[in-house]
Amino acid sequence: MPELPEVETIKRGLEKKIIGQKITSVEILNPKSFQGIEKLILNTKIKKVFRRAKVLGIEFENEYDLIFHLKMSGQVILVGDSKVKENNSDRFVGGHPTKDMLGQLPNRSTRIVFTLSDNSKLYFNDQRKFGWVKLIEKSKLQENSLIKSLGPEPLEKEFTKEILKNQLQKKKNTAVKVAILDQTVISGVGNIYACEACFLAKIEPNRKVSSLTDKDIENLFYGIIRSLEDGIKYGGSTKTHFVNADGKKGLFLDYANVYSREGQPCKVCKTILIKTKLNGRGTVFCTTCQI
DNA sequence: CACTTGACCTGTCCGC
DNA sequence: TGCGGACAGGTCAAGT
């Protein structure tokens, strides 16, 4: 699932409710989803919630951080005390577990359950089990192999079109869409927003980076920022799994120009949008607007 | 070295 | 209705 806007949406939802609280217990339902020694953060105050690229982090008042990667199907959902009791009372119907549905937690994709000091529960769900939660020392965060190799954050003020141009120098022979998906070039852009950014920049996703003019790079710069900001504005993209910290779906795909709109007319020129594969990833674009 | 293809998993949807 | 194959917001490792 989650790209930068989805993780940012979860981060904003979580920080309103969990800062200052403590985790009183951790229930690990799928051992592969958790790495580290969970006891190290029990009963320690949560100081802040942060995001780096697609990684969500919870910082504690001691020397540890809990970091989450949601990969394709991860969810982080906070459920308040009263709702927890309600769910537990009708969790089973006729002796069989009810099928996955929002509000029914834990469910069959729940991998970890954190209980907080106000008795709310934080659920880490992950149907495909690609995601993970790691407990690490704060001082080791920057050395984490994923974090260490990340390129600049596109929504930070420091990110400029000159920086984008420099980053793209490393990938001259690569297709534009593949380059902006590369987390060492820019961090946080995933398949949905890469398609959208190419559309906004009017660049055919398969074009080689070396063919881009300065004007193209400027358009790409604004396309990336605009698509990510719109993603956040609409609470993220829900294709199938994504929900925010309150379990609600994101609405961005209702406003997307190309992603998941193959076979439908381009919103600008009415040409039927085409879907292809680039590096194994579904890629939708307009053959008229994007050249 | 740079780029592409599998693997990691589970679930759903589509065609035969 | 059943079965096989393709596909899904990401990242690694291995292969070419």
Side-chain angles (χ1 to χ4, degrees), chain A residues 9-108:
Chain A
T9 299
I10 294 171
K11 181 222 150 194
R12 292 181 187 184
L14 271 190
E15 68 187 351
K16 285 189 283 191
K17 295 179 179 169
I18 68 170
I19 290 174
Q21 290 207 59
K22 299 170 180 177
I23 290 175
T24 56
S25 72
V26 181
E27 193 183 349
I28 298 169
L29 306 178
N30 180 50
K32 287 181 109 173
S33 299
F34 192 94
Q35 295 171 40
I37 303 162
E38 66 270 28
K39 289 184 179 57
L40 294 172
I41 45 97
L42 286 184
N43 299 307
T44 304
K45 268 194 183 175
I46 293 169
K47 191 171 168 185
K48 83 186 246 205
V49 181
F50 62 93
R51 177 189 62 73
R52 174 74 175 101
K54 302 172 191 172
V55 176
L56 175 72
I58 296 177
E59 182 183 337
F60 292 83
E61 283 190 345
N62 61 15
E63 62 270 38
Y64 297 100
D65 283 341
L66 202 51
I67 57 174
F68 298 69
H69 200 303
L70 279 40
K71 293 289 179 82
M72 300 287 260
S73 63
Q75 303 175 322
V76 175
I77 309 174
L78 183 68
V79 178
D81 183 29
S82 56
K83 187 68 182 165
V84 168
K85 286 175 183 150
E86 200 181 303
N87 281 349
N88 285 341
S89 66
D90 62 3
R91 187 167 145 202
F92 296 98
V93 175
H96 298 289
T98 54
K99 64 173 190 174
D100 271 6
M101 51 191 289
L102 286 182
Q104 292 296 324
L105 292 166
N107 60 38
R108 69 168 156 257

Side-chain angles (χ1 to χ4, degrees), chain A residues 123-141:
Chain A
Y123 297 96
F124 176 69
N125 290 351
D126 185 20
Q127 178 193 98
R128 295 175 71 177
K129 300 181 179 173
F130 292 171
W132 43 255
V133 180
K134 292 181 188 176
L135 180 54
I136 60 166
E137 284 178 54
K138 277 177 202 175
S139 58
K140 301 267 172 67
L141 179 64

